Amino acid sequence: MNETRHRVLDALADGPVSGPTLADELDISRSAVWKHVEALRDEGFEIRSDDAGYGLDSVPEFGASAVEYGLDAPFSVEYHDSIPSTNARARDLAADGASDTVVLADEQTGGRGRLDREWHSPSGGIWLSVLFRPDVPMAHAPVFTLAAAVAVTRAAREAGVEAGIKWPNDVLVRHGDEERKLVGILTEMEGEADRVSWVVVGIGVNANVDPADLPDDANPTSLSAERDEPVDRRLFAQRLLEEFDALRQDSANVVEAWREYATTLGKQVRVETPGGSIEGEAVDIQFPGALVIETESGREVVSAGDCEHLRPIAE
Ligand code: BT5
């Protein structure tokens, strides 16, 4: 949304305000005011106009302006009702030189997980990718996956869903012995060894979707299923982006925040890595995101892999 339109909205929110007053305050013509108001109405803002002037009655439920409006983080948002993959779109925007941009969609038709796995993204989810250009070496980039996991876990807990994090990239909800997958995170990047050029952090939140519409084998859940009522996707996306924005600037503290929500630490795990399978107790996590596993033959530090939580062996 452009700067003037933001200012029109802010003035309306404090409203009612007359067209001529608005024109004076913003130093634009009356017909420009009218055009901005019409454009905002087209985007779903309900704006009344009566003798007292213009006033804001309601904000759209979801979309670019909805998420940008009142967002306390410096991201511009691009919204799609349906798109193959927000990560693919964000990569294209990165190639065009963009930064601090969020690609958001209601539905993805070609959503991707790690290792090119399929990510089911029906309408009603919060499928988003954050594109930014941190001034860090490539080796530090995994910390942004952890930051995203912490940010989305905090947003979920604020929405009343007790989520936890399974290393490295899953946000889960526990049901007895069972863990159900609520969120998946896929980080992609490009750069030279000593400096990242761009990072795209893709976050897929099963928000208002029926877990029955998601693949069974993943044991999925959703915010609406956990809460028994839909979540306000606009507020959720805003809280998620605000938390992520704060954490990306404070990467030294991300690991500690991650530990607070980790479900993996203290568990018996099996991690499938490109070099083979490692089994043992997950004892810690190290900056920028490696898992420390106590195995029968000593400590191993694993920086990437698929992690399975194992049942403790009965005594
Ligand atoms: C992930 O991969 O968990 C990362 C998913 C990232 C998705 C976001 S959405 C916005 C952005 N745009 C994209 O195209 N991607 C990102 P991984 O750990 O590899 O897990 C993938 C596995 O999760 C699949 O093989 C399924 O078993 C399972 N799965 C697929 N869709 C799911 C869903 N909606 N909920 C829970 N599990 C799912």
Side-chain angles (χ1 to χ4, degrees), residues 42-283:
D42 283 348
E43 289 182 61
F45 290 88
E46 282 183 40
I47 297 168
R48 69 177 179 279
S49 68
D50 53 30
D51 292 348
Y54 294 116
L56 182 62
D57 281 339
S58 75
V59 174
E61 244 181 271
F62 202 46
S65 306
V67 173
E68 279 183 10
Y69 177 65
L71 175 66
D72 190 13
F75 297 118
S76 60
V77 181
E78 178 186 291
Y79 173 77
H80 302 265
D81 281 330
S82 181
I83 192 172
S85 155
T86 58
N87 262 39
R89 172 66 185 152
R91 285 201 309 270
D92 287 347
L93 292 171
D96 292 343
S99 186
D100 281 356
T101 301
V102 173
V103 182
L104 175 69
D106 174 49
E107 174 194 67
Q108 293 184 123
T109 52
R112 282 285 162 266
R114 294 178 304 154
L115 306 172
D116 219 26
R117 292 178 193 128
E118 213 178 316
W119 180 259
H120 288 250
S121 322
S123 170
I126 301 172
W127 322 118
L128 64 79
S129 302
V130 186
L131 161 64
F132 61 110
R133 297 177 186 271
D135 189 10
V136 300
M138 285 289 253
H140 288 188
V143 80
F144 299 117
T145 301
L146 268 54
V150 170
V152 76
T153 299
R154 286 185 175 156
R157 290 185 177 200
E158 277 176 35
V161 175
E162 271 306 289
I165 309 171
K166 185 176 95 165
W167 183 87
N169 71 330
D170 286 345
V171 175
L172 310 166
V173 182
R174 225 193 151 108
H175 287 265
D177 277 352
E178 214 185 282
E179 289 175 317
R180 299 188 189 157
K181 185 158 170 169
L182 179 70
V183 176
I185 299 168
L186 174 67
T187 303
E188 300 180 272
M189 74 203 86
E190 199 173 275
E192 311 281 323
D194 60 337
R195 221 183 73 87
V196 163
S197 166
W198 53 257
V199 180
V200 168
V201 177
I203 308 173
V205 186
N206 297 329
N208 298 330
V209 302
D210 183 347
D213 294 337
L214 300 172
D216 264 1
D217 59 323
N219 213 4
T221 188
S222 69
L223 292 172
S224 57
E226 296 293 331
R227 290 158 42 98
D228 279 331
E229 61 175 351
V231 69
D232 181 332
R233 287 188 294 165
R234 168 180 174 253
L235 287 182
F236 192 96
Q238 288 181 330
R239 289 298 301 124
L240 163 57
L241 293 172
E242 288 164 359
E243 287 288 338
F244 183 74
D245 178 47
L247 288 162
R248 70 174 171 155
Q249 300 171 58
D250 185 23
S251 57
N253 288 318
V254 168
V255 169
E256 205 179 306
W258 190 93
R259 279 196 194 102
E260 203 181 312
Y261 305 121
T263 63
T264 302
L265 300 183
K267 286 223 172 74
Q268 289 293 319
V269 298
R270 183 188 303 123
V271 179
E272 302 294 341
T273 75
S277 169
I278 299 172
E279 223 176 283
E281 184 188 345
V283 288

